[in-house]
């Protein structure tokens, strides 16, 4: 299952991504927002990130105006490795090398056509493991030390 959310700035793109994923037979859990009224992105990013961290959803997608705020919020949740991507190469590399489990997108900076390609790349790319796992382990050690 793929978790997805947005704030008011990302609503239209989130809905396009959700439709795209459902057409590709992904099960999608939508954490909101559901209308264009101004809202606070941390509320949605946190709930979505918690679902991924808890294993309720395999991966997550966050959409706000730039993707920056949502990614920063998600990365506060233990076990989340959220990458803000504006191109397919970054989406591929962050899955291969960083084993990112969440993707953030900026609706005001990334067009829908490119955003859908980034989403597909992110979801279709596997983690390579190997030397990259050692680096992930070190990253998680830092997170664990900071959360003590």
């Amino acid at each position: 299952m793929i978790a997805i959310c947005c704030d008011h700035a990302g609503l239209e793109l989130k809905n396009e991504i959700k439709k795209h994923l459902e057409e590709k037979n992904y099960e999608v859990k939508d954490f909101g927002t559901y209308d264009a009224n101004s809202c606070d992105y941390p509320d949605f990013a946190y709930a979505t990130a918690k679902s991924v961290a808890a294993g309720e959803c395999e991966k997550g997608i966050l959409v706000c105006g730039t993707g920056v705020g949502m990614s920063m919020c998600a990365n506060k949740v233990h076990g989340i490795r959220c990458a803000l991507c504006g191109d397919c190469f970054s989406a591929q590399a962050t899955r291969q090398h960083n084993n990112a489990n969440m993707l953030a997108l900026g609706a005001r900076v990334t067009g829908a056509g490119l955003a859908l390609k980034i989403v597909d790349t992110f979801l279709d790319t596997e983690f390579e493991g190997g030397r990259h796992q050692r680096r992930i382990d070190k990253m998680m050690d830092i997170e664990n030390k900071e959360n003590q």
Side-chain angles (χ1 to χ4, degrees):
M1 182 178 314
I2 307 299
I4 193 167
C5 77
C6 67
D7 67 358
H8 54 281
L11 180 64
E12 187 176 319
L13 182 57
K14 179 202 74 170
N15 288 338
E16 288 186 48
I17 293 168
K18 182 179 175 182
K19 179 182 175 196
H20 175 76
L21 293 174
E22 289 172 343
E23 288 172 353
K24 295 184 86 161
N25 296 315
Y26 283 99
E27 188 176 352
V28 179
K29 184 169 183 178
D30 188 342
F31 286 84
T33 191
Y34 307 108
D35 60 49
N37 294 324
S38 182
C39 61
D40 297 331
Y41 63 83
D43 300 331
F44 303 99
Y46 179 68
T48 307
K50 287 296 283 186
S51 75
V52 174
E56 296 165 7
C57 294
E58 180 184 350
K59 292 187 180 73
I61 300 170
L62 312 168
V63 188
C64 65
T66 63
V68 174
M70 286 262 192
S71 65
M72 291 172 72
C73 186
N75 280 319
K76 300 290 184 188
V77 175
H78 184 79
I80 294 301
R81 291 175 306 283
C82 182
L84 170 59
C85 296
D87 61 84
C88 292
F89 177 78
S90 295
Q92 179 181 11
T94 199
R95 285 289 306 127
Q96 289 175 330
H97 298 180
N98 310 121
N99 199 17
N101 52 11
M102 295 193 78
L103 170 67
L105 296 164
R108 293 178 176 153
V109 294
T110 305
L114 176 58
L116 296 179
K117 289 178 185 176
I118 292 169
V119 165
D120 288 344
T121 300
F122 184 83
L123 294 176
D124 292 343
T125 303
E126 296 294 325
F127 176 52
E128 289 181 350
R131 71 184 189 278
H132 304 297
Q133 185 60 55
R134 181 179 71 247
R135 296 165 186 156
I136 300 294
D137 292 342
K138 288 182 177 186
M139 186 186 331
M140 299 313 295
D141 286 344
I142 293 168
E143 181 175 271
N144 290 329
K145 287 176 189 173
E146 288 298 312
N147 285 325
Q148 290 180 351

